[in-house]
Amino acid sequence: SEMSKSPTITGYSTALFSTWLFLEEFGVLFDAGDGASAGLTQKSRKANFVFISHADRDHLGGLLQLHQLNAREGQPLICYPRDCGSFPALQRFVEKFDPDVGPATWQAIGDGDEISISNSHIVQARRNEHVKKQNLDKSLDFLLIEQRRKLKEEFEGQSGEELAALRVEHGEDHITTPQRQRLIGYSGDTPRCEAERWRGVRWLLHEATFLHEKDCRGAHCNLPQVIAEASQLDLQALVLTHFSSRYSHAQIRSAITSEAKQHRPAFPIFAILPGNSVRNLLGGEPIWSPE
């Protein structure tokens, strides 16, 4: 069934220092910055899938400890951008450094690759513009997608036995069509937010490193641009991440509120503030919500 309950998000995200976001219902960890294990404690054992967006150290610094504590019988599955040499080097190091542990499964993935995380959910990787190298998969963002099968109209009203017989005779594709619902989008680090890229997503986790366009340096987003684009989407909630620690919490709250008042998004906005760990973020108070 289509997920209506908000996902349980535990995480930490401060530009330059560390980013990791755990989606408890799915056993998915997006990025594995410093302190991921310390922040998750026992829950880190439930991180069966780790998707690393790129090789900056603030997004992978926690892998060593995560692996040492939790790697066993090929789990977790650690997926990384295929053209980043850091990860095979780290894998070789880990095998020597913690020979009694694990091992986990390390998998190189690239643009368009899909990893099955359950019978009905996949994570799709997409190349993004954070690290610009011609045709190389050095930086990714991710979509968590629910896959359902819908009965074709001509078979509606048939009994379970009749459908089972048709399934045996002709196969699943004969009687149902696959349908996809984008549930969660995770931007990783990226220079801009584009509404079209995230169309159909229900929960968007997006970086907003800088509060003002004039502060923008390097391949990161600014808050006004992110809220302007996200406001065009039909979201359940927007989660802003990766703020620079140059800003106080009060400055960030105030900037979010002022941009939201201008664009009037039809959904609440949450944020992971610099230096703050969050538990069940979406269960708490949003920084902004529509009337």
Side-chain angles (χ1 to χ4, degrees), residues 1 21 26-27 32 71 83 105 179 202 207 220 248 258 268 284:
S1 70
L21 296 169
F26 303 99
D83 298 311
T105 302
Q179 288 197 316
R202 305 191 64 180
E207 76 116 302
H220 289 287
S248 72
S258 118

Side-chain angles (χ1 to χ4, degrees), residues 45 48 67 70-77 100-106:
R45 297 216 78 149
N48 299 321
H67 185 281
N70 300 316
R72 61 203 184 279
E73 292 158 18
Q75 287 208 304
L77 175 63
D100 309 333
V101 170
T105 302
W106 298 68

Side-chain angles (χ1 to χ4, degrees), residues 113-222:
D113 284 350
E114 297 184 347
I115 302 292
S116 174
I117 59 166
S118 76
N119 288 337
S120 52
H121 296 92
I122 59 159
V123 169
Q124 182 188 76
R126 305 181 301 178
R127 182 189 303 154
N128 75 7
E129 297 291 301
H130 180 61
V131 182
K132 283 190 178 153
K133 290 271 166 71
Q134 199 93 39
N135 294 327
L136 289 182
D137 290 315
K138 290 244 184 207
S139 179
L140 304 171
D141 65 27
F142 302 105
L143 288 169
L144 195 153
I145 297 167
E146 182 173 54
Q147 301 192 101
R148 294 190 304 281
R149 299 199 71 97
K150 188 174 189 322
L151 194 62
K152 290 179 183 172
E153 266 178 38
E154 62 261 37
F155 300 111
E156 280 171 17
Q158 299 217 10
S159 74
E161 280 144 18
E162 288 169 318
L163 291 174
L166 284 166
R167 198 174 269 113
V168 169
E169 194 179 341
H170 300 289
E172 185 64 50
D173 289 335
H174 179 67
I175 57 170
T176 62
T177 51
Q179 288 197 316
R180 291 184 152 200
Q181 162 76 53
R182 293 173 163 192
L183 290 183
I184 298 164
Y186 172 63
S187 72
D189 286 1
T190 182
R192 53 183 291 110
C193 180
E194 291 161 341
E196 214 33 67
R197 190 170 180 83
W198 301 106
R199 187 77 58 205
V201 159
R202 305 191 64 180
W203 292 275
L204 178 58
L205 321 177
H206 207 290
E207 76 116 302
T209 307
F210 299 109
L211 294 192
H212 315 288
E213 212 164 335
K214 63 177 169 47
D215 296 346
C216 258
R217 283 204 320 274
H220 289 287
C221 281
N222 66 82

Side-chain angles (χ1 to χ4, degrees), residues 51-65:
F51 293 93
I52 313 280
S53 60
H54 62 297
D56 284 351
R57 299 305 181 251
D58 55 323
H59 293 257
L60 61 75
L63 270 180
L64 210 64
Q65 175 77 330

